[in-house]
Amino acid sequence: RFAGISDAEIWARVEADLGRKLPPTLLQETVQEIDRRLATEVLALAGADAMLAAFRHDRCVCSNSPGARIRMMLERTGLAGHFGDRIGR
């Protein structure tokens, strides 16, 4: 239901479903908590490093997350080297 849409659009839909406004700081606090947890808890899938090492073609990541978040997760998981400077900023 929420795939491929912005956080702001998700919040608007949730507010519409609830029939009331959410606290104005909730979105920012939620994004900060997600970033904090990704920076400390995200792990690579088993075999991801080996698969990327064996894959001899250009690679990309498709996501609606900001480039900085993608870069942080790839660095945290040790996979950033497979993408070089081809990670969005």
Side-chain angles (χ1 to χ4, degrees):
R1 176 175 179 202
F2 298 118
I5 63 173
S6 69
D7 292 340
E9 179 63 22
I10 292 170
W11 250 243
R13 291 182 186 189
V14 170
E15 287 178 336
D17 288 351
L18 293 174
R20 66 180 172 85
K21 288 285 192 186
L22 295 169
T25 60
L26 185 59
L27 178 56
Q28 181 180 358
E29 291 169 1
T30 300
V31 169
Q32 288 173 342
E33 178 64 9
I34 289 169
D35 285 343
R36 184 194 69 75
R37 292 188 69 181
L38 288 172
T40 59
E41 298 176 18
V42 72
L43 301 171
L45 294 173
D49 186 61
M51 186 276 303
L52 288 167
F55 192 73
R56 299 290 178 213
H57 301 282
D58 289 340
R59 301 157 191 92
C60 69
V61 175
C62 296
S63 176
N64 64 341
S65 290
R69 182 182 280 174
I70 299 298
R71 179 177 297 282
M72 178 272 300
M73 288 188 289
L74 289 171
E75 288 173 354
R76 161 96 174 119
T77 59
L79 301 175
H82 295 289
F83 297 90
D85 63 356
R86 295 178 309 276
I87 301 169
R89 298 197 190 287

